[in-house]
Amino acid sequence: LARDLAYVDRIGLQWLLVTGVLACVPLALELPWWMSAVFGLSVSWRYLVERFQVYRPGRWARYGLLAIVVFITYREYGTVLGRDPGLSLLVSLLGLKLLELRGQRDAMFTLFLFYFMLAGGFLFSQTMPGAAWALATIVVSLIALIRLHQVMPTAAAVRLSVALLLKAIPLLIILYLLFPRVSGTLWGLPADAYAGLTGMPDQVSPGSIRSLSESNEIAFRVDFTGNPPPNRELYWRGLVLWQTDGKTWTRTAPAADVERLRPLGPSLQYRVTLEPHNKPWLFALDMPVTVPDEARMRSGMTLAQTDLVRERMVYTVTSYTRYAAGELRPTERRAALSTARLSTRVRAFVDELHTQHEQPAAYAQAVLDYFRRENFVYTLSPPLLGDDPVDQFLFDTRRGFCEHYATTFATLMRAGGVPARVVIGYQGGEINPNGNYMIVRQSDAHAWTEIWLGDRGWTRVDPTAAVAPERVELGLDAIRRLEAQGLQPGTVGADLLARAMALPWLERSLRQMRLYWDYTNLAWYRWVVDYRKDKQENFLHALGFETIDWTRVLLILGGASGLVLLAYVMWSRRAAPLDRVQKSYARFCRKLARIGLKRAAHEGPLDFAHRVRGARPVLGPVVDAITARYLELRYGDRASNDELREFVRAVSAFRPRATH
């Protein structure tokens, strides 16, 4: 097997290099640039060695390159273990392996290691484009495998590789549907596998929500049972923040039981498909009353999972958007009235306003009216605030994002004796008409306030809506469009707002294409990626299995796979499909058979040509030439397309007659 590379097909080696490049591309999008540089330089170097016989590095030079790669990996990550450092090291070392590749065994070993590279891409993403890229890479790898073992025209190798892949699809489907699924994973991924996942922070300070809202990534998707509520009721609850030092609000909650709700309207049932965000909390509409499996209800009516959400998950929730909360416990009251030290200006403002409006609801409305009256501006680019953000925002800058308004409003409420807390999550969403579901993006991140009113309990108050109602009614995209056209949110009339929100035809078409693409990816996830243990059990129930007996399932799996393999064997027992050379030679033999010179089953090409020459001497030169060309093409080291075409033309032009 360890033949010298001089006797290994050069075209096969080139296909091997192409396979490596294709397998590296998904990882190049995720891992450091130097990894791609090392692999790309190695592939180029290997190609130049074969094409132009440039210098091939010796053993000690390769050892030196190996040490450099290991050092760079350790310098980058501080370790060589884990998903990212392990894959970076694998790709780089495989590039160096190409420089020492000498025999067919080395080529085969490298080819199979490329499959590990290809599988590594699925540790980052399991999307439909990634799967399509993997299938294309496998086709190319099969071409390389074929050419490394048998010399044939490239077109024939391509057809054979595609045929092999198509034959594998039935087995792939059977294994996918019937191979037993287990709860969780067979092994745990290293901790760095989730380093790139980000989501809602567990605290709020000026600028924290704004930075998250700059991302257009999808946070989750929602399927409603029935019609979705209007946009102004789409408050997706994530975390409740109780404690503040005057600058930052954190979620340290008082020890209390889960709150009780009194519904004031119909319930909403919906299913959430949550993207991984490396945090434990789940999101639900104000206010959730059911708890998904493997989750729990926390103080403040928020949902959290036991483990971090590191994979896309689906859960079902029931919520009431109209409700009245239960009693306020003493520990909660103390936490909801706690404030940091207030400036003299803030204290004077609160005292003056509270003197005029003693009732909590009236006092809250007075603060909202102040926001409207004093020309506060909702902006995506607020100025930086110093050590006393409430004072500076209230009297100096008056320009802010949702967290500026929510935290300032909550501080003023507490200073006026009204229990208040800050809630962070998402607000709004975009309906995708293709699948009739809602898309909530990171750009929909939002902060609002809840205050305690004796007759209604915890009541949602969104001070952002007092300044920029377009944010709540139309979403953050409306704010971006208004600012791009120099219009201030909250000051635009209905007609001007409609014109500002109108999309040009190109942008409208691109948006529709994005929605179609999102629906396609969601369908891929639901039908392929999310085929878990519960869905497999439902499928088996549909097949007639009352109880899931995995011994029987494995027997059926083995039987179905065996039937497919038996079908392949029976098919192969038929006359083996002839390649183009064999087909042309068979045609040559049929032409001779028509004039009485039929080739016997045991007769080789040379013996048959010798017999034809003896029986019909006039045909001898042509028959000998066609036979010699056939043997060269069929059993020679290499077959060019030009030689093959000449052979086919010679057979086509051969017209023997019985009179010859």
Coordinates of all heavy atoms in Angstrom, one line a residue, residues 250-306:
T250 N -29.3 45.3 39.6 CA -29.0 43.9 39.6 C -30.2 43.1 40.0 O -31.2 43.6 40.5 CB -27.8 43.5 40.5 OG1 -28.1 43.9 41.9 CG2 -26.5 44.2 40.1
R251 N -30.2 41.8 39.8 CA -31.3 40.9 40.0 C -31.4 40.3 41.4 O -32.1 39.3 41.6 CB -31.4 39.9 38.9 CG -30.3 38.9 38.9 CD -30.3 38.0 37.7 NE -29.2 37.0 37.6 CZ -29.4 35.8 38.1 NH1 -30.5 35.4 38.6 NH2 -28.3 35.0 38.0
T252 N -30.6 40.7 42.3 CA -30.7 40.2 43.7 C -32.1 40.4 44.2 O -32.6 41.5 44.5 CB -29.7 40.8 44.6 OG1 -28.4 40.7 44.1 CG2 -29.8 40.2 46.0
A253 N -32.9 39.3 44.3 CA -34.3 39.3 44.7 C -34.5 39.0 46.2 O -33.7 38.2 46.8 CB -35.1 38.3 43.8
P254 N -35.5 39.6 46.8 CA -35.8 39.2 48.2 C -36.4 37.8 48.2 O -36.9 37.3 47.3 CB -36.9 40.2 48.5 CG -37.5 40.6 47.2 CD -36.4 40.6 46.2
A255 N -36.2 37.2 49.4 CA -36.7 35.8 49.6 C -38.2 35.9 49.7 O -38.7 36.5 50.6 CB -36.1 35.2 50.8
A256 N -38.9 35.3 48.7 CA -40.3 35.4 48.7 C -40.9 34.3 47.8 O -40.2 33.8 47.0 CB -40.8 36.8 48.2
D257 N -42.1 33.9 48.1 CA -42.8 32.9 47.3 C -43.1 33.5 45.9 O -43.1 34.7 45.7 CB -44.0 32.4 47.9 CG -43.7 31.7 49.3 OD1 -42.6 31.2 49.4 OD2 -44.6 31.8 50.2
V258 N -43.4 32.6 45.0 CA -43.9 33.1 43.6 C -45.2 33.8 43.8 O -46.1 33.5 44.5 CB -44.0 31.9 42.7 CG1 -44.6 32.3 41.4 CG2 -42.7 31.2 42.5
E259 N -45.3 34.9 43.0 CA -46.5 35.8 43.1 C -47.7 35.0 42.5 O -47.6 34.2 41.7 CB -46.2 37.1 42.4 CG -45.0 37.9 42.9 CD -44.6 38.9 42.0 OE1 -45.2 39.2 41.0 OE2 -43.5 39.5 42.2
R260 N -48.8 35.4 43.0 CA -50.1 34.9 42.5 C -50.8 36.0 41.6 O -50.8 37.1 42.0 CB -51.0 34.4 43.6 CG -50.4 33.3 44.4 CD -51.3 32.9 45.6 NE -50.7 31.8 46.3 CZ -51.3 31.2 47.4 NH1 -52.5 31.7 47.8 NH2 -50.8 30.2 48.1
L261 N -51.4 35.5 40.6 CA -52.1 36.4 39.7 C -53.6 36.2 39.7 O -54.1 35.0 39.8 CB -51.6 36.2 38.2 CG -50.1 36.6 38.0 CD1 -49.8 36.4 36.5 CD2 -49.8 38.0 38.3
R262 N -54.3 37.2 39.4 CA -55.8 37.1 39.2 C -56.0 37.6 37.7 O -55.9 38.7 37.4 CB -56.5 38.0 40.1 CG -58.0 38.0 39.9 CD -58.7 38.6 41.1 NE -58.3 40.0 41.4 CZ -58.8 41.1 40.9 NH1 -59.7 41.0 40.0 NH2 -58.3 42.2 41.2
P263 N -56.3 36.6 36.8 CA -56.5 36.9 35.4 C -57.6 37.9 35.2 O -58.7 37.9 35.9 CB -56.9 35.6 34.8 CG -56.3 34.6 35.7 CD -56.5 35.2 37.1
L264 N -57.4 38.9 34.3 CA -58.4 39.9 34.0 C -58.8 39.8 32.5 O -59.5 40.6 32.0 CB -57.9 41.3 34.2 CG -57.6 41.6 35.7 CD1 -57.0 43.0 35.8 CD2 -58.8 41.4 36.6
G265 N -58.4 38.8 31.8 CA -58.7 38.6 30.4 C -58.4 37.1 30.0 O -58.0 36.3 30.8
P266 N -58.5 36.8 28.7 CA -58.3 35.5 28.2 C -56.8 35.1 28.3 O -55.9 36.0 28.2 CB -58.8 35.5 26.8 CG -58.7 36.9 26.4 CD -59.0 37.7 27.6
S267 N -56.5 33.8 28.3 CA -55.1 33.4 28.3 C -54.6 33.3 26.9 O -55.3 33.3 25.9 CB -55.0 32.0 29.0 OG -55.7 31.1 28.3
L268 N -53.3 33.3 26.8 CA -52.6 33.1 25.5 C -51.7 31.8 25.6 O -50.9 31.7 26.6 CB -51.7 34.3 25.2 CG -52.4 35.5 24.6 CD1 -51.4 36.7 24.5 CD2 -53.0 35.2 23.2
Q269 N -51.8 30.9 24.7 CA -50.9 29.8 24.6 C -50.0 30.0 23.4 O -50.4 30.4 22.3 CB -51.7 28.5 24.5 CG -52.4 28.0 25.7 CD -53.8 28.8 25.9 OE1 -54.4 29.0 24.9 NE2 -54.1 29.0 27.1
Y270 N -48.7 29.7 23.6 CA -47.8 29.9 22.5 C -46.6 29.0 22.7 O -46.3 28.5 23.9 CB -47.3 31.3 22.4 CG -46.9 31.9 23.7 CD1 -45.5 31.9 24.1 CD2 -47.8 32.5 24.6 CE1 -45.1 32.5 25.3 CE2 -47.4 33.0 25.8 CZ -46.0 33.0 26.2 OH -45.6 33.5 27.4
R271 N -45.8 28.7 21.7 CA -44.6 27.9 21.7 C -43.4 28.8 21.3 O -43.5 29.5 20.3 CB -44.8 26.7 20.7 CG -43.5 25.8 20.7 CD -43.7 24.7 19.7 NE -44.0 25.2 18.4 CZ -44.1 24.4 17.3 NH1 -44.0 23.1 17.5 NH2 -44.3 24.9 16.1
V272 N -42.4 28.7 22.2 CA -41.2 29.5 22.0 C -40.1 28.6 21.5 O -39.8 27.6 22.1 CB -40.8 30.3 23.3 CG1 -39.5 31.1 23.1 CG2 -41.9 31.2 23.7
T273 N -39.4 29.0 20.4 CA -38.2 28.4 20.0 C -37.0 29.3 20.3 O -36.8 30.3 19.6 CB -38.2 28.1 18.5 OG1 -39.4 27.3 18.2 CG2 -37.0 27.3 18.0
L274 N -36.3 29.0 21.4 CA -35.3 29.9 21.9 C -33.9 29.6 21.4 O -33.5 28.4 21.4 CB -35.3 29.8 23.5 CG -34.3 30.7 24.2 CD1 -34.6 32.1 24.1 CD2 -34.4 30.3 25.7
E275 N -33.2 30.6 20.9 CA -31.9 30.4 20.5 C -30.9 30.3 21.7 O -31.2 30.9 22.8 CB -31.4 31.6 19.6 CG -32.2 31.7 18.3 CD -32.0 30.6 17.4 OE1 -30.8 30.1 17.3 OE2 -32.9 30.1 16.8
P276 N -29.8 29.5 21.6 CA -28.9 29.4 22.7 C -28.3 30.8 23.1 O -27.9 31.5 22.2 CB -27.9 28.4 22.2 CG -27.9 28.5 20.7 CD -29.4 28.8 20.4
H277 N -28.2 31.1 24.4 CA -27.6 32.3 24.8 C -26.7 32.2 26.0 O -26.3 33.2 26.6 CB -28.8 33.4 25.1 CG -29.8 32.9 26.1 ND1 -29.7 33.1 27.4 CD2 -31.0 32.3 25.9 CE1 -30.7 32.6 28.1 NE2 -31.5 32.1 27.2
N278 N -26.5 31.0 26.4 CA -25.5 30.7 27.5 C -25.9 31.3 28.9 O -25.1 31.6 29.7 CB -24.1 31.2 27.1 CG -23.0 30.4 27.8 OD1 -23.2 29.2 28.2 ND2 -21.9 31.0 27.9
K279 N -27.2 31.5 29.0 CA -27.8 31.9 30.3 C -29.0 31.0 30.7 O -29.5 30.3 29.8 CB -28.4 33.4 30.1 CG -27.3 34.4 29.7 CD -26.3 34.7 30.7 CE -25.5 36.0 30.4 NZ -24.8 35.9 29.1
P280 N -29.4 31.0 31.9 CA -30.4 30.0 32.3 C -31.8 30.5 32.1 O -32.8 29.7 32.1 CB -30.2 29.8 33.8 CG -29.6 31.1 34.3 CD -28.8 31.6 33.1
W281 N -32.1 31.8 31.9 CA -33.4 32.3 31.9 C -34.1 32.1 30.5 O -33.5 32.1 29.5 CB -33.5 33.8 32.3 CG -32.4 34.6 31.8 CD1 -32.2 35.2 30.6 CD2 -31.2 35.0 32.6 NE1 -31.1 35.9 30.6 CE2 -30.4 35.8 31.7 CE3 -30.7 34.6 33.8 CZ2 -29.2 36.3 32.1 CZ3 -29.5 35.1 34.2 CH2 -28.7 36.0 33.4
L282 N -35.4 31.9 30.7 CA -36.3 31.8 29.5 C -37.2 33.0 29.4 O -37.3 33.8 30.4 CB -37.2 30.6 29.7 CG -36.5 29.2 30.1 CD1 -37.5 28.1 30.2 CD2 -35.4 28.9 29.1
F283 N -37.8 33.2 28.3 CA -38.6 34.4 28.1 C -40.1 34.1 27.8 O -40.4 33.1 27.1 CB -38.0 35.2 26.9 CG -36.6 35.7 27.1 CD1 -35.5 34.9 26.7 CD2 -36.4 36.9 27.8 CE1 -34.2 35.3 27.0 CE2 -35.1 37.3 28.1 CZ -34.0 36.5 27.6
A284 N -41.0 34.9 28.4 CA -42.4 34.6 28.2 C -43.1 35.9 28.3 O -42.6 36.9 28.9 CB -42.9 33.7 29.3
L285 N -44.3 36.0 27.8 CA -45.1 37.2 27.8 C -45.5 37.5 29.2 O -45.8 36.6 30.0 CB -46.4 37.1 26.9 CG -46.2 37.3 25.4 CD1 -47.6 37.0 24.8 CD2 -45.7 38.7 25.1
D286 N -45.6 38.8 29.6 CA -46.2 39.2 30.9 C -47.7 38.7 30.9 O -48.4 39.0 30.0 CB -46.3 40.7 31.0 CG -45.0 41.3 31.5 OD1 -44.1 40.5 32.0 OD2 -44.8 42.5 31.5
M287 N -48.1 37.9 31.9 CA -47.3 37.3 32.9 C -47.5 35.8 32.6 O -48.6 35.3 32.4 CB -47.9 37.6 34.3 CG -47.6 39.0 34.8 SD -45.9 39.0 35.5 CE -46.0 40.5 36.4
P288 N -46.4 35.0 32.8 CA -46.6 33.5 32.6 C -47.2 32.9 33.8 O -47.0 33.2 34.9 CB -45.1 33.1 32.4 CG -44.3 34.1 33.2 CD -45.1 35.4 33.0
V289 N -48.0 31.8 33.5 CA -48.7 31.1 34.6 C -48.4 29.6 34.6 O -48.8 28.9 35.5 CB -50.2 31.3 34.6 CG1 -50.5 32.8 34.9 CG2 -50.8 30.9 33.3
T290 N -47.7 29.2 33.5 CA -47.3 27.8 33.4 C -45.8 27.7 33.3 O -45.1 28.7 32.9 CB -47.9 27.0 32.2 OG1 -47.5 27.7 31.0 CG2 -49.4 27.0 32.3
V291 N -45.2 26.6 33.8 CA -43.8 26.4 33.8 C -43.4 25.3 32.9 O -43.9 24.2 33.0 CB -43.3 26.1 35.2 CG1 -41.8 26.0 35.3 CG2 -43.7 27.2 36.2
P292 N -42.5 25.5 31.9 CA -42.1 24.4 31.0 C -41.3 23.3 31.8 O -40.9 23.5 32.9 CB -41.1 25.2 30.0 CG -41.5 26.6 30.1 CD -41.9 26.8 31.5
D293 N -41.2 22.2 31.2 CA -40.5 21.1 31.8 C -39.0 21.5 32.0 O -38.5 22.2 31.2 CB -40.5 19.9 30.9 CG -42.0 19.3 30.7 OD1 -42.8 19.6 31.6 OD2 -42.2 18.6 29.7
E294 N -38.5 21.0 33.1 CA -37.1 21.3 33.4 C -36.8 22.8 33.7 O -35.7 23.3 33.5 CB -36.1 20.7 32.4 CG -36.2 19.2 32.2 CD -35.2 18.7 31.2 OE1 -34.4 19.5 30.7 OE2 -35.3 17.5 30.9
A295 N -37.9 23.5 34.0 CA -37.7 25.0 34.3 C -38.4 25.2 35.6 O -39.1 24.3 36.2 CB -38.3 25.8 33.2
R296 N -38.3 26.4 36.2 CA -38.9 26.8 37.4 C -39.3 28.3 37.4 O -38.7 29.1 36.6 CB -38.0 26.5 38.6 CG -36.7 27.3 38.5 CD -35.7 26.8 39.6 NE -34.4 27.4 39.4 CZ -34.0 28.5 40.1 NH1 -34.8 29.1 40.9 NH2 -32.8 29.0 39.9
M297 N -40.3 28.6 38.2 CA -40.8 30.0 38.3 C -40.0 30.6 39.4 O -39.9 30.1 40.5 CB -42.3 30.0 38.6 CG -42.9 31.4 38.6 SD -43.1 32.1 37.0 CE -44.6 31.2 36.4
R298 N -39.4 31.8 39.2 CA -38.7 32.5 40.2 C -39.5 33.7 40.7 O -40.5 34.1 40.1 CB -37.3 32.9 39.6 CG -36.5 31.8 39.0 CD -35.3 32.2 38.3 NE -34.4 33.1 39.1 CZ -33.2 33.4 38.7 NH1 -32.8 33.0 37.5 NH2 -32.5 34.2 39.4
S299 N -39.0 34.3 41.7 CA -39.6 35.5 42.3 C -39.6 36.5 41.2 O -38.6 36.8 40.5 CB -38.9 35.9 43.5 OG -39.4 37.1 44.0
G300 N -40.7 37.2 41.1 CA -40.9 38.2 40.0 C -41.5 37.7 38.8 O -41.6 38.3 37.7
M301 N -42.1 36.4 38.9 CA -42.8 35.8 37.8 C -41.9 35.7 36.5 O -42.3 36.0 35.4 CB -44.0 36.6 37.4 CG -45.1 36.7 38.5 SD -45.7 35.0 39.1 CE -46.7 34.6 37.7
T302 N -40.7 35.2 36.7 CA -39.8 35.0 35.6 C -39.5 33.5 35.6 O -39.5 32.8 36.6 CB -38.5 35.8 35.8 OG1 -37.8 35.4 37.0 CG2 -38.7 37.3 35.7
L303 N -39.1 33.0 34.4 CA -38.8 31.6 34.2 C -37.3 31.4 34.0 O -36.6 32.2 33.4 CB -39.5 31.1 32.9 CG -41.1 31.2 32.9 CD1 -41.6 30.8 31.6 CD2 -41.7 30.4 34.1
A304 N -36.8 30.3 34.6 CA -35.4 30.0 34.5 C -35.2 28.5 34.4 O -36.0 27.7 35.0 CB -34.6 30.5 35.6
Q305 N -34.3 28.1 33.6 CA -34.0 26.6 33.5 C -32.9 26.3 34.5 O -32.1 27.1 34.9 CB -33.5 26.3 32.0 CG -33.5 24.9 31.7 CD -33.1 24.6 30.3 OE1 -33.8 23.9 29.6 NE2 -32.0 25.2 29.9
T306 N -32.8 25.0 34.8 CA -31.8 24.5 35.8 C -30.4 24.7 35.2 O -29.5 25.2 35.8 CB -32.0 23.1 36.1 OG1 -33.3 22.9 36.6 CG2 -31.0 22.6 37.2

